[in-house]
Amino acid sequence: MDISTVINIVLCVLSFILAVISVVTVVITLRQNNRMIEESTRPYVTARIEHIGNIFYLCIKNYGQSAAMIKKIKINDNVRKVLFKQFRDVFSDLEDSTMPPGYSYMTAISQDEVSGEENILEMDISYESTAKKYDEHIRINLDAHKKALVGRTDVKPGEELKVIARVLQDIECTLEK
């Protein structure tokens, strides 16, 4: 074999190796982009405690950018102890329903009912989007909220009356308990 044939063979092999490396790099980049797009557009459903005045609320909210189909909400007995009687089944009623992005469900809770080991509220929320299923396990320590000196929520301009009405309704619920 002459030198030009050897050079052509080496160049062909190097071109093939470079093409394989390029294809592998593109596939890896596309997978990473798909994960990043899913993370930025997926639903994020979780629970939290919100304070309005002296009333505490247990709130389930979709913080994500897409709708979530709630499949199952499992709460521990400590959550049942703090829910006011007329609100007991509010979260089980959310099963098999769609929660739009930014939407939340809240119920007033009586944080005075729990003590000791009962101060941990645990919830398991299973939900799905069009592509995947998600499971969230939430643990909330009520002691952290009980000890808050001032518990307030951010009130947007124009929503002051809505907050006042909600607090008055919940005060009425606590008096009925």
Side-chain angles (χ1 to χ4, degrees):
M1 273 198 277
D2 63 350
I3 190 105
S4 65
T5 306
V6 171
I7 291 175
N8 281 337
I9 291 173
V10 168
L11 287 176
C12 285
V13 169
L14 289 176
S15 294
F16 177 75
I17 291 172
L18 185 60
V20 168
I21 291 172
S22 297
V23 169
V24 168
T25 303
V26 167
V27 168
I28 290 171
T29 303
L30 285 174
R31 285 185 179 170
Q32 287 177 339
N33 283 346
N34 282 341
R35 272 190 236 123
M36 287 181 3
I37 289 170
E38 186 217 336
E39 291 294 319
S40 67
T41 60
R42 68 165 271 201
Y44 285 97
V45 178
T46 191
R48 66 185 164 95
I49 299 292
E50 184 173 323
H51 307 265
I52 299 177
N54 292 327
I55 305 295
F56 288 75
Y57 294 88
L58 181 58
C59 177
I60 294 178
K61 183 174 181 175
N62 181 358
Y63 289 94
Q65 299 298 314
S66 60
M69 173 61 88
I70 306 296
K71 289 300 179 184
K72 186 175 183 181
I73 297 178
K74 181 182 172 193
I75 58 178
N76 71 346
D77 288 336
N78 294 341
V79 176
R80 294 187 205 294
K81 290 177 185 175
V82 299
L83 294 178
F84 289 112
K85 202 172 214 170
Q86 58 267 44
F87 294 112
R88 290 220 182 221
D89 295 320
V90 68
F91 295 129
S92 63
D93 292 340
L94 295 179
E95 292 180 1
D96 293 324
S97 64
T98 300
M99 183 179 279
Y103 202 78
S104 64
Y105 295 96
M106 293 185 356
T107 186
I109 63 171
S110 172
Q111 42 96 19
D112 295 329
E113 296 292 321
V114 295
S115 62
E117 290 296 316
E118 298 175 342
N119 63 353
I120 302 293
L121 304 181
E122 291 186 75
M123 301 178 76
D124 291 307
I125 303 173
S126 297
Y127 59 97
E128 58 187 42
S129 66
T130 55
K132 287 192 173 183
K133 294 181 180 183
Y134 304 98
D135 294 309
E136 300 288 339
H137 179 75
I138 299 111
R139 287 178 51 93
I140 300 172
N141 187 341
L142 278 180
D143 282 345
H145 298 281
K146 286 183 189 179
K147 294 175 184 175
L149 295 176
V150 177
R152 295 179 185 236
T153 184
D154 293 332
V155 179
K156 296 176 185 154
E159 291 189 358
E160 296 87 359
L161 292 177
K162 183 178 175 183
V163 172
I164 292 169
R166 185 183 304 153
V167 170
L168 289 174
Q169 288 171 348
D170 291 332
I171 289 172
E172 178 185 1
C173 291
T174 59
L175 294 175
E176 291 176 4
K177 188 176 181 189

